[in-house]
Amino acid sequence: MNRSYSLAAELARVVTGGEASAVKLDTLASLINGPSPDAAAPEPTPVLKDNEPPDQYDRIGIWSLKQQEGMDLYVRDTRFAADWRLWANQHVIFPKKGKRVVLLGESVARGYFYDPFFNPAIELRSRLQAVEGFTDFEVVDLAKSGLTLEELSRLSESCLRLDPDLIIIFAGNNWAYSLYDSPVFSEYEIQSLTNALHSLDLMQVKEKLDDKLAELVKNYMATMASFSARHGIPVLFIIPEYNLDSWKSTPLEKIVAGLPEDNTDKWIAAGKRAKRYLQSGRLPDAQKESEQMIALDPTNPLGYEYLAECHLRNEKYEEARHLLESARDTSIVKRLTNHTPRCFSSCRRTILEQSKLYGFHVVDLPAVFKDHLGGKIPGRDLFLDYCHLNHEGIKLAMDAAFDVLLPLFDGKKTDVKSSSARELSTDLVALAHLLAATLNSRFGQPREILNYHCMQAVKISRISARFMTLFSSLACRKASTALCKSYGQILAEGLADQYNKGTGLLHAENAKTLDYELIHAMIAALQTVGIDIHGQIEVLLNREHGVKNAPVNLLESFYHMFSIQKVAGASSCYYKAYDITSEFLFFMERNVPVYADITWRIPATENGGKARLLLNDAPIDEMDVGNKWQTKKVLFPSAGLIKGANRLLIKWPAGSRVPRKKAEDRNGLSAAGSLDRSIGSLYHTFGEIHTLMISAVQE
Amino acid sequence: MGLNIIGISAFYHDSACCILRDGVLIAAAQEERFSRIKADASLPCQAFLYCLKQSGLAITDIDLIAYYEDPEKKASRQIWSRIPEVSSSFLLQLDPGRPEREIREVLGYEGPIRFVEHHMSHAASSFFFSGFDTSAILTVDGVGEWATTTYGAGNGNAIHLFEEVHFPHSLGLLYSTITSFLGFGVNDGEYKVMGLAPYGKPLYVKQLMDLLQPEAEGQYKLNMGYFDFLSGERMFSDALPGLLGHPARRPDSIIAPFHKDLSKSLQVVLEEMLLEKARYLHRRTGEKNLCMAGGVALNCVANGRILRDGPFEKLFVQPASNDAGGAIGAAMAIHAVEGRALQQKKQLDHVYFGPEFAADEIEQLLKSTSLQYHNYRGSRDLMLSMVAGKLAEGLVIGWFQGRMEFGPRSLGARSILADPRNATMRDRINAMVKKREGFRPFAPAVLEDKVAEHFQLDHPSPFMLETCQVSSTIDLPAITHVDGSARVQTVNEHTNLPFALLIREFEKLTGCPILLNTSFNVKGEPIVCSPEDALKCFIKTDIDCLVMDEFVIIRSENSLHALKLILENYDIEKEKRAGIRHDVYTFV
Ligand SMILES: [Fe+2]
């Protein structure tokens, strides 16, 4: 007994120190467990978990089997009421009468921003019903917003109970999340990934992750193939396309990695020059710089985006497309715990290959759109955000699906009785633009795209003015969205029904954003139809956010653009600057002088460095910041301040960082934890802020 | 130069953070109140930021961080418990480096960190707030590192713990095991067992004495054949149902006489053991004062018994006796170790160490909503008489005033209040917010200067930590337990002015200086912290009236159906968060 105490104490010391390898721990563990651990070990008692649904076979998604008047009905189950808003707004799935197509898919297939009023299933249904002899065709819509690969696998099996004549799978955007959420990696794979991360071989990391994704897709497709073969049901894959032209990588998606030697500095400098050359139209120079950026960090999207811009200006669409795809594909290297959904090239490639192998039909939207656009890059003409299609895009996709589907059931193009072109209401289309604008704003998309959506909306429907007025008021307020009167009005007037039943506008707790750019895009759009809410908004912003009696904490989610996404393995209660510039907003009712109380540091440096403060673009101070926290009080005289919004920039020094030791990263962590941590430690923080408070100087 | 110490308890259950300035407790709060995750065990980030804000300090002003247990020592116990199934993956999971790593990385703290042993933290949380110059100290909980019970003495700046009972022998784990056997959640349902006890007869004392054997001095032993908590999967072994002659109760099934009798028996066994050990401690120390802390010290029935029937003249129980209180104990212990004079000369008389919210802020929030509200700013008397009137009419009030309480109890800062004379109140409040077993009565809050007229209590009880008999001539069905007892909170103008004034106003109207007081939360959620939390709780439940500072919102004047639906959606939108397991005592 005493020996076991002292062994346990010794083992605890080793584990706490964190210097032991798994092998060493195993050796110590076997010592403490005694000579024949197996003989002594009691059988572990299995624990029943109550909250798990009893089985897969009496339900399909949120619909559970109910016998009624001798019929097998699938009825929406109130146990899953919380999830209803993510699925088709259909209460009962009746037994099959004629032919049946089942649609599985993600939010793209759901018709995000239009559903339940319009969506791919509705479009396909109306196409089919316009065909001679196809009137008894039905489309069962089993698409779910946010469907994961695991959920899709389950659904692919359970949907067989609906006796489909064709299964359409319109998905692929969410599949890479399986790389993060579930324990898909073996200890060995994690070790080799961690090693690649530590040697900063970023391309190798990317390849390993792409391979793993391909493996997951292959596994899924093999399962699907076995269902398909066993039941003789044909399968049609619709491969999603990405908004290559009009969706920009978010601020956190393009943060720079801590590269070897002084490559980080070189990358930053090349980026600055590339941007300048693009602005002044010196394309060959811009091209050279962006190529250097790609060479320095092939897993950062920015170099590809700049280079694509060069090619686009020269109308070299094929080159540009390839580069924009590469930019999109970089996010597989787990920069962010929640990157925006996308179908990676490795995913598309695997679907195409495996479909050939198993004889699945395919609608490859990248090819379909390319064809439709005469080789140009798809953008805002077909998309509302990163991957969600606008109504034109949905129609085009369903056109293509229809063309594949028709001959499968011996239909001919000549059988189509009437044009199925349904006119959507202008209110529906306008609101889709505006709701999409709120999402674009949340992910830091440029002002220009926000303007575009607001202007499109305001041009076609008067309802836009109502939404924009309410939304601007909502966005200005500190109160949680759910509690705001203006949000209640938006819901009551049905203005956000087509955005996950209004829940799309909600924010995570303590993460409400101010949407300052979007508010101004809305103000400008409203001005074009003779409505002026500028003064009103100004008053509201001051009342809610103005620097008055109490200090304003600029690290709250309202005042900076870093709240929506998080870098892997990097949770902290203070602000980390992943870019060389940090930007904050604060609001003044009158221009009286204010103080800024700042506690900051520049970590992982020998001696810190110099940070420059700019207020409304005018330099106000250059200050030494150490590598340990320091607290400073800075006076902003009234001359530099303006009534209304003031912009505070902190420019951090570039310069290389002391790399973290490999051992520090493992330090007693489980495998998955250590992978997260290694990825997190790839990224530089240029500066860190613990406190940033603005308070008015008491007169 | 002042000495600023942050105290932290985390990574087990109900994490918390506090700040001491020169030995004076400035702020303390549990992380769950900010994160809104019940019993949140993660590092208390938001509570830490709150402590800095409340004290007007930056992280650069912090001299020391005190952590409430010794991670390495705890790991050795966890490893020992796992023999012979210790594996490298289990060892990696233990991660005893986590507290220090996260204090550095998540809080960003660069200065020195001190680890204080778990039971020393409990002991310090009690003695250093007791106001006693010298005292005996008894700490009892489930388990810390190895200790489950400690005996000690405090004198001025020093605490000496001279004896401890080692894991797996633990009164806390015995109580939790029977709690689990009775179908209630471990670390959650112990209160229910205590509340159930007065309904039963002590018919199973003999059997329970089989589980727990007293030994010499401060020691006792559990008969491990009946327990299975070492497995980490369940609390009791198959032998326990055999011993008691009944199967374990399934959660949510009916409560039979057996369950009541077992609860009563457990309470009796616990009290007897505590009394015996208290007598031992008294013999060893010769002190007339006793300080208690640790989860078991929240058993207010046992506390009352120790004071009445035990050898000590005075008893102080730390109101945050759970592990959240470890944060303030650790900080105090380090302050004392640093050799600084202790400022806390008098006994802790309130627990309002949480955040408060300015009237401007509350008004700004209300203005953003569609709610109709009454603004009584500058006319508090009017507000109080109006609210007292509503209480007398039988309305249930959500009461949000001043700084939030630290510790598990609502004591008139974030409370639900009602008329204790009203027999239907218990069922009404249970139906609207608590959704709990109807057998437990609510607690009374009584004016301190009137307590003796209504309860058999001759001293203040500001923290609801003792029970006593109700002796009032007024019928108080909503707060009187089946055995005629009540869990009393005494209230005075000095520590909670608005609450005391409200009760006085209620007394003026009704002759009754007592209100029913229960925690302001919905079942399964933490107690409300901010005005938004209070508003959401008010909307989602059927509370009749919400009083925040000097603003009053009356349900009947608002149509809240749409808002309620919105909030239900909002709840959906919240990330699903992993909770604490209640089917077994979590040792990691
Ligand atoms: Fe404890």
Side-chain angles (χ1 to χ4, degrees), chain A residues 417-433:
Chain A
K417 290 179 295 191
S418 60
S419 149
S420 62
R422 285 158 42 96
E423 272 306 311
L424 300 187
S425 86
T426 51
D427 285 1
L428 183 67
V429 175
L431 286 172
H433 274 296

mmCIF file with all atom_site columns, all heavy atoms in Angstrom, chain A residues 417-433:
data_model
loop_
_atom_site.group_PDB
_atom_site.id
_atom_site.type_symbol
_atom_site.label_atom_id
_atom_site.label_alt_id
_atom_site.label_comp_id
_atom_site.label_asym_id
_atom_site.label_entity_id
_atom_site.label_seq_id
_atom_site.pdbx_PDB_ins_code
_atom_site.Cartn_x
_atom_site.Cartn_y
_atom_site.Cartn_z
_atom_site.occupancy
_atom_site.B_iso_or_equiv
_atom_site.pdbx_formal_charge
_atom_site.auth_seq_id
_atom_site.auth_comp_id
_atom_site.auth_asym_id
_atom_site.auth_atom_id
_atom_site.pdbx_PDB_model_num
ATOM 1   N N   . LYS A 1 417 ? -43.926 20.753 -70.624 1.00 0.00 ? 417 LYS A N   1
ATOM 2   C CA  . LYS A 1 417 ? -45.134 21.421 -71.110 1.00 0.00 ? 417 LYS A CA  1
ATOM 3   C C   . LYS A 1 417 ? -44.982 22.934 -71.107 1.00 0.00 ? 417 LYS A C   1
ATOM 4   O O   . LYS A 1 417 ? -45.340 23.616 -72.037 1.00 0.00 ? 417 LYS A O   1
ATOM 5   C CB  . LYS A 1 417 ? -46.330 21.069 -70.205 1.00 0.00 ? 417 LYS A CB  1
ATOM 6   C CG  . LYS A 1 417 ? -46.783 19.649 -70.333 1.00 0.00 ? 417 LYS A CG  1
ATOM 7   C CD  . LYS A 1 417 ? -47.944 19.384 -69.397 1.00 0.00 ? 417 LYS A CD  1
ATOM 8   C CE  . LYS A 1 417 ? -47.511 19.499 -67.939 1.00 0.00 ? 417 LYS A CE  1
ATOM 9   N NZ  . LYS A 1 417 ? -48.508 19.004 -66.987 1.00 0.00 ? 417 LYS A NZ  1
ATOM 10  N N   . SER A 1 418 ? -44.501 23.423 -69.971 1.00 0.00 ? 418 SER A N   1
ATOM 11  C CA  . SER A 1 418 ? -44.495 24.882 -69.857 1.00 0.00 ? 418 SER A CA  1
ATOM 12  C C   . SER A 1 418 ? -43.183 25.320 -69.243 1.00 0.00 ? 418 SER A C   1
ATOM 13  O O   . SER A 1 418 ? -42.486 24.534 -68.624 1.00 0.00 ? 418 SER A O   1
ATOM 14  C CB  . SER A 1 418 ? -45.642 25.311 -68.947 1.00 0.00 ? 418 SER A CB  1
ATOM 15  O OG  . SER A 1 418 ? -45.452 24.721 -67.679 1.00 0.00 ? 418 SER A OG  1
ATOM 16  N N   . SER A 1 419 ? -42.927 26.564 -69.396 1.00 0.00 ? 419 SER A N   1
ATOM 17  C CA  . SER A 1 419 ? -41.730 27.091 -68.738 1.00 0.00 ? 419 SER A CA  1
ATOM 18  C C   . SER A 1 419 ? -41.989 27.066 -67.245 1.00 0.00 ? 419 SER A C   1
ATOM 19  O O   . SER A 1 419 ? -43.050 27.427 -66.771 1.00 0.00 ? 419 SER A O   1
ATOM 20  C CB  . SER A 1 419 ? -41.478 28.521 -69.206 1.00 0.00 ? 419 SER A CB  1
ATOM 21  O OG  . SER A 1 419 ? -40.873 29.229 -68.166 1.00 0.00 ? 419 SER A OG  1
ATOM 22  N N   . SER A 1 420 ? -40.996 26.613 -66.521 1.00 0.00 ? 420 SER A N   1
ATOM 23  C CA  . SER A 1 420 ? -41.211 26.515 -65.089 1.00 0.00 ? 420 SER A CA  1
ATOM 24  C C   . SER A 1 420 ? -40.688 27.744 -64.367 1.00 0.00 ? 420 SER A C   1
ATOM 25  O O   . SER A 1 420 ? -40.649 27.786 -63.154 1.00 0.00 ? 420 SER A O   1
ATOM 26  C CB  . SER A 1 420 ? -40.503 25.280 -64.546 1.00 0.00 ? 420 SER A CB  1
ATOM 27  O OG  . SER A 1 420 ? -39.120 25.430 -64.771 1.00 0.00 ? 420 SER A OG  1
ATOM 28  N N   . ALA A 1 421 ? -40.259 28.724 -65.133 1.00 0.00 ? 421 ALA A N   1
ATOM 29  C CA  . ALA A 1 421 ? -39.657 29.901 -64.518 1.00 0.00 ? 421 ALA A CA  1
ATOM 30  C C   . ALA A 1 421 ? -40.639 30.571 -63.570 1.00 0.00 ? 421 ALA A C   1
ATOM 31  O O   . ALA A 1 421 ? -41.560 31.252 -64.002 1.00 0.00 ? 421 ALA A O   1
ATOM 32  C CB  . ALA A 1 421 ? -39.190 30.873 -65.581 1.00 0.00 ? 421 ALA A CB  1
ATOM 33  N N   . ARG A 1 422 ? -40.447 30.319 -62.282 1.00 0.00 ? 422 ARG A N   1
ATOM 34  C CA  . ARG A 1 422 ? -41.313 30.943 -61.288 1.00 0.00 ? 422 ARG A CA  1
ATOM 35  C C   . ARG A 1 422 ? -40.756 32.320 -60.958 1.00 0.00 ? 422 ARG A C   1
ATOM 36  O O   . ARG A 1 422 ? -39.576 32.493 -60.780 1.00 0.00 ? 422 ARG A O   1
ATOM 37  C CB  . ARG A 1 422 ? -41.330 30.119 -60.004 1.00 0.00 ? 422 ARG A CB  1
ATOM 38  C CG  . ARG A 1 422 ? -42.135 28.865 -60.062 1.00 0.00 ? 422 ARG A CG  1
ATOM 39  C CD  . ARG A 1 422 ? -41.657 27.905 -58.995 1.00 0.00 ? 422 ARG A CD  1
ATOM 40  N NE  . ARG A 1 422 ? -41.387 28.619 -57.733 1.00 0.00 ? 422 ARG A NE  1
ATOM 41  C CZ  . ARG A 1 422 ? -42.267 28.706 -56.736 1.00 0.00 ? 422 ARG A CZ  1
ATOM 42  N NH1 . ARG A 1 422 ? -43.432 28.126 -56.835 1.00 0.00 ? 422 ARG A NH1 1
ATOM 43  N NH2 . ARG A 1 422 ? -41.956 29.340 -55.630 1.00 0.00 ? 422 ARG A NH2 1
ATOM 44  N N   . GLU A 1 423 ? -41.636 33.262 -60.882 1.00 0.00 ? 423 GLU A N   1
ATOM 45  C CA  . GLU A 1 423 ? -41.186 34.584 -60.480 1.00 0.00 ? 423 GLU A CA  1
ATOM 46  C C   . GLU A 1 423 ? -41.199 34.655 -58.952 1.00 0.00 ? 423 GLU A C   1
ATOM 47  O O   . GLU A 1 423 ? -42.195 34.339 -58.319 1.00 0.00 ? 423 GLU A O   1
ATOM 48  C CB  . GLU A 1 423 ? -42.118 35.655 -61.053 1.00 0.00 ? 423 GLU A CB  1
ATOM 49  C CG  . GLU A 1 423 ? -41.718 36.128 -62.444 1.00 0.00 ? 423 GLU A CG  1
ATOM 50  C CD  . GLU A 1 423 ? -40.275 36.604 -62.516 1.00 0.00 ? 423 GLU A CD  1
ATOM 51  O OE1 . GLU A 1 423 ? -39.862 37.410 -61.665 1.00 0.00 ? 423 GLU A OE1 1
ATOM 52  O OE2 . GLU A 1 423 ? -39.553 36.141 -63.425 1.00 0.00 ? 423 GLU A OE2 1
ATOM 53  N N   . LEU A 1 424 ? -40.093 35.039 -58.377 1.00 0.00 ? 424 LEU A N   1
ATOM 54  C CA  . LEU A 1 424 ? -40.077 35.212 -56.939 1.00 0.00 ? 424 LEU A CA  1
ATOM 55  C C   . LEU A 1 424 ? -40.534 36.625 -56.608 1.00 0.00 ? 424 LEU A C   1
ATOM 56  O O   . LEU A 1 424 ? -40.325 37.553 -57.388 1.00 0.00 ? 424 LEU A O   1
ATOM 57  C CB  . LEU A 1 424 ? -38.663 35.008 -56.397 1.00 0.00 ? 424 LEU A CB  1
ATOM 58  C CG  . LEU A 1 424 ? -38.043 33.654 -56.658 1.00 0.00 ? 424 LEU A CG  1
ATOM 59  C CD1 . LEU A 1 424 ? -36.720 33.542 -55.917 1.00 0.00 ? 424 LEU A CD1 1
ATOM 60  C CD2 . LEU A 1 424 ? -38.965 32.536 -56.242 1.00 0.00 ? 424 LEU A CD2 1
ATOM 61  N N   . SER A 1 425 ? -41.142 36.794 -55.437 1.00 0.00 ? 425 SER A N   1
ATOM 62  C CA  . SER A 1 425 ? -41.602 38.134 -55.077 1.00 0.00 ? 425 SER A CA  1
ATOM 63  C C   . SER A 1 425 ? -40.382 39.029 -54.830 1.00 0.00 ? 425 SER A C   1
ATOM 64  O O   . SER A 1 425 ? -39.333 38.561 -54.378 1.00 0.00 ? 425 SER A O   1
ATOM 65  C CB  . SER A 1 425 ? -42.475 38.073 -53.823 1.00 0.00 ? 425 SER A CB  1
ATOM 66  O OG  . SER A 1 425 ? -41.674 38.124 -52.663 1.00 0.00 ? 425 SER A OG  1
ATOM 67  N N   . THR A 1 426 ? -40.542 40.295 -55.147 1.00 0.00 ? 426 THR A N   1
ATOM 68  C CA  . THR A 1 426 ? -39.415 41.214 -54.968 1.00 0.00 ? 426 THR A CA  1
ATOM 69  C C   . THR A 1 426 ? -39.077 41.364 -53.488 1.00 0.00 ? 426 THR A C   1
ATOM 70  O O   . THR A 1 426 ? -37.922 41.568 -53.125 1.00 0.00 ? 426 THR A O   1
ATOM 71  C CB  . THR A 1 426 ? -39.726 42.600 -55.561 1.00 0.00 ? 426 THR A CB  1
ATOM 72  O OG1 . THR A 1 426 ? -40.990 43.035 -55.042 1.00 0.00 ? 426 THR A OG1 1
ATOM 73  C CG2 . THR A 1 426 ? -39.770 42.554 -57.068 1.00 0.00 ? 426 THR A CG2 1
ATOM 74  N N   . ASP A 1 427 ? -40.085 41.249 -52.613 1.00 0.00 ? 427 ASP A N   1
ATOM 75  C CA  . ASP A 1 427 ? -39.818 41.322 -51.169 1.00 0.00 ? 427 ASP A CA  1
ATOM 76  C C   . ASP A 1 427 ? -38.871 40.201 -50.746 1.00 0.00 ? 427 ASP A C   1
ATOM 77  O O   . ASP A 1 427 ? -37.920 40.413 -49.993 1.00 0.00 ? 427 ASP A O   1
ATOM 78  C CB  . ASP A 1 427 ? -41.111 41.182 -50.356 1.00 0.00 ? 427 ASP A CB  1
ATOM 79  C CG  . ASP A 1 427 ? -41.951 42.446 -50.408 1.00 0.00 ? 427 ASP A CG  1
ATOM 80  O OD1 . ASP A 1 427 ? -41.513 43.411 -51.091 1.00 0.00 ? 427 ASP A OD1 1
ATOM 81  O OD2 . ASP A 1 427 ? -43.031 42.466 -49.792 1.00 0.00 ? 427 ASP A OD2 1
ATOM 82  N N   . LEU A 1 428 ? -39.163 39.012 -51.251 1.00 0.00 ? 428 LEU A N   1
ATOM 83  C CA  . LEU A 1 428 ? -38.352 37.850 -50.893 1.00 0.00 ? 428 LEU A CA  1
ATOM 84  C C   . LEU A 1 428 ? -36.901 38.053 -51.321 1.00 0.00 ? 428 LEU A C   1
ATOM 85  O O   . LEU A 1 428 ? -35.966 37.816 -50.549 1.00 0.00 ? 428 LEU A O   1
ATOM 86  C CB  . LEU A 1 428 ? -38.939 36.602 -51.565 1.00 0.00 ? 428 LEU A CB  1
ATOM 87  C CG  . LEU A 1 428 ? -38.273 35.266 -51.258 1.00 0.00 ? 428 LEU A CG  1
ATOM 88  C CD1 . LEU A 1 428 ? -38.470 34.884 -49.807 1.00 0.00 ? 428 LEU A CD1 1
ATOM 89  C CD2 . LEU A 1 428 ? -38.823 34.178 -52.163 1.00 0.00 ? 428 LEU A CD2 1
ATOM 90  N N   . VAL A 1 429 ? -36.734 38.523 -52.555 1.00 0.00 ? 429 VAL A N   1
ATOM 91  C CA  . VAL A 1 429 ? -35.381 38.710 -53.092 1.00 0.00 ? 429 VAL A CA  1
ATOM 92  C C   . VAL A 1 429 ? -34.657 39.839 -52.354 1.00 0.00 ? 429 VAL A C   1
ATOM 93  O O   . VAL A 1 429 ? -33.489 39.717 -51.983 1.00 0.00 ? 429 VAL A O   1
ATOM 94  C CB  . VAL A 1 429 ? -35.440 38.995 -54.604 1.00 0.00 ? 429 VAL A CB  1
ATOM 95  C CG1 . VAL A 1 429 ? -34.055 39.304 -55.147 1.00 0.00 ? 429 VAL A CG1 1
ATOM 96  C CG2 . VAL A 1 429 ? -36.058 37.807 -55.336 1.00 0.00 ? 429 VAL A CG2 1
ATOM 97  N N   . ALA A 1 430 ? -35.386 40.919 -52.085 1.00 0.00 ? 430 ALA A N   1
ATOM 98  C CA  . ALA A 1 430 ? -34.763 42.055 -51.388 1.00 0.00 ? 430 ALA A CA  1
ATOM 99  C C   . ALA A 1 430 ? -34.311 41.644 -49.991 1.00 0.00 ? 430 ALA A C   1
ATOM 100 O O   . ALA A 1 430 ? -33.189 41.948 -49.558 1.00 0.00 ? 430 ALA A O   1
ATOM 101 C CB  . ALA A 1 430 ? -35.749 43.218 -51.300 1.00 0.00 ? 430 ALA A CB  1
ATOM 102 N N   . LEU A 1 431 ? -35.174 40.922 -49.279 1.00 0.00 ? 431 LEU A N   1
ATOM 103 C CA  . LEU A 1 431 ? -34.806 40.505 -47.923 1.00 0.00 ? 431 LEU A CA  1
ATOM 104 C C   . LEU A 1 431 ? -33.634 39.527 -47.940 1.00 0.00 ? 431 LEU A C   1
ATOM 105 O O   . LEU A 1 431 ? -32.784 39.552 -47.046 1.00 0.00 ? 431 LEU A O   1
ATOM 106 C CB  . LEU A 1 431 ? -36.013 39.896 -47.201 1.00 0.00 ? 431 LEU A CB  1
ATOM 107 C CG  . LEU A 1 431 ? -37.063 40.928 -46.766 1.00 0.00 ? 431 LEU A CG  1
ATOM 108 C CD1 . LEU A 1 431 ? -38.324 40.244 -46.237 1.00 0.00 ? 431 LEU A CD1 1
ATOM 109 C CD2 . LEU A 1 431 ? -36.500 41.881 -45.710 1.00 0.00 ? 431 LEU A CD2 1
ATOM 110 N N   . ALA A 1 432 ? -33.582 38.678 -48.967 1.00 0.00 ? 432 ALA A N   1
ATOM 111 C CA  . ALA A 1 432 ? -32.438 37.759 -49.079 1.00 0.00 ? 432 ALA A CA  1
ATOM 112 C C   . ALA A 1 432 ? -31.143 38.566 -49.169 1.00 0.00 ? 432 ALA A C   1
ATOM 113 O O   . ALA A 1 432 ? -30.155 38.253 -48.506 1.00 0.00 ? 432 ALA A O   1
ATOM 114 C CB  . ALA A 1 432 ? -32.595 36.850 -50.287 1.00 0.00 ? 432 ALA A CB  1
ATOM 115 N N   . HIS A 1 433 ? -31.167 39.628 -49.977 1.00 0.00 ? 433 HIS A N   1
ATOM 116 C CA  . HIS A 1 433 ? -29.983 40.491 -50.081 1.00 0.00 ? 433 HIS A CA  1
ATOM 117 C C   . HIS A 1 433 ? -29.617 41.083 -48.722 1.00 0.00 ? 433 HIS A C   1
ATOM 118 O O   . HIS A 1 433 ? -28.453 41.098 -48.322 1.00 0.00 ? 433 HIS A O   1
ATOM 119 C CB  . HIS A 1 433 ? -30.248 41.639 -51.053 1.00 0.00 ? 433 HIS A CB  1
ATOM 120 C CG  . HIS A 1 433 ? -29.974 41.283 -52.481 1.00 0.00 ? 433 HIS A CG  1
ATOM 121 N ND1 . HIS A 1 433 ? -28.722 40.959 -52.941 1.00 0.00 ? 433 HIS A ND1 1
ATOM 122 C CD2 . HIS A 1 433 ? -30.806 41.207 -53.556 1.00 0.00 ? 433 HIS A CD2 1
ATOM 123 C CE1 . HIS A 1 433 ? -28.781 40.689 -54.241 1.00 0.00 ? 433 HIS A CE1 1
ATOM 124 N NE2 . HIS A 1 433 ? -30.039 40.819 -54.644 1.00 0.00 ? 433 HIS A NE2 1
#
